[in-house]
């Protein structure tokens, strides 16, 4: 049987204070419950003005495939999610806000 792939889509906007805890929780989830699955995490930065993008690009270590997208302008919450869902290649997608 083919291994199922799960896409996790997360839009962010000025989330530098919560990103380290989120990445830690995400890794804990993947390592605790992810046996038998392949994960991809798609994080969409909606033109944050804090250091969210830099943190995600340079410091955030995920225990799975990571895609990071930074929009050149704030396109809004719903369009960010829609873009992430279109990019997702998993058998299912989960939106985490």
């Amino acid at each position: 049987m083919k291994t199922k792939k799960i896409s996790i889509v997360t839009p962010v906007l000025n989330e530098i204070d919560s990103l380290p805890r989120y990445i830690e929780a995400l890794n804990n989830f993947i390592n605790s419950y992810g046996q038998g699955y392949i994960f991809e995490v798609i994080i969409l930065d909606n033109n944050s003005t804090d250091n969210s993008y830099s943190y995600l690009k340079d410091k955030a270590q995920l225990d799975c495939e990571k895609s990071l997208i930074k929009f050149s302008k704030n396109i809004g919450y719903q369009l960010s999610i829609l873009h992430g869902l279109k990019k997702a290649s998993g058998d299912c997608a989960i939106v985490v806000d």
Side-chain angles (χ1 to χ4, degrees), residues 30-73:
I30 290 168
N31 291 320
S32 297
Y33 302 104
Q35 281 68 21
Y37 297 96
I38 298 169
F39 285 89
E40 75 171 337
V41 175
I42 302 165
I43 302 175
L44 306 118
D45 185 298
N46 214 348
N47 199 28
S48 292
T49 56
D50 63 5
N51 290 321
S52 294
Y53 181 78
S54 295
Y55 173 81
L56 290 165
K57 182 177 154 228
D58 299 329
K59 296 180 182 158
Q61 299 298 316
L62 284 167
D63 297 336
C64 65
E65 178 183 335
K66 173 178 82 172
S67 293
L68 178 58
I69 298 166
K70 180 173 176 71
F71 297 111
S72 60
K73 65 179 185 171

Side-chain angles (χ1 to χ4, degrees), residues 7-40:
S7 300
I8 299 174
V9 176
T10 303
V12 298
L13 177 62
N14 297 327
E15 298 289 344
I16 189 64
D17 293 335
S18 61
L19 283 173
R21 284 178 305 208
Y22 172 66
I23 297 299
E24 180 181 4
L26 194 53
N27 281 329
N28 288 339
F29 172 79
I30 290 168
N31 291 320
S32 297
Y33 302 104
Q35 281 68 21
Y37 297 96
I38 298 169
F39 285 89
E40 75 171 337

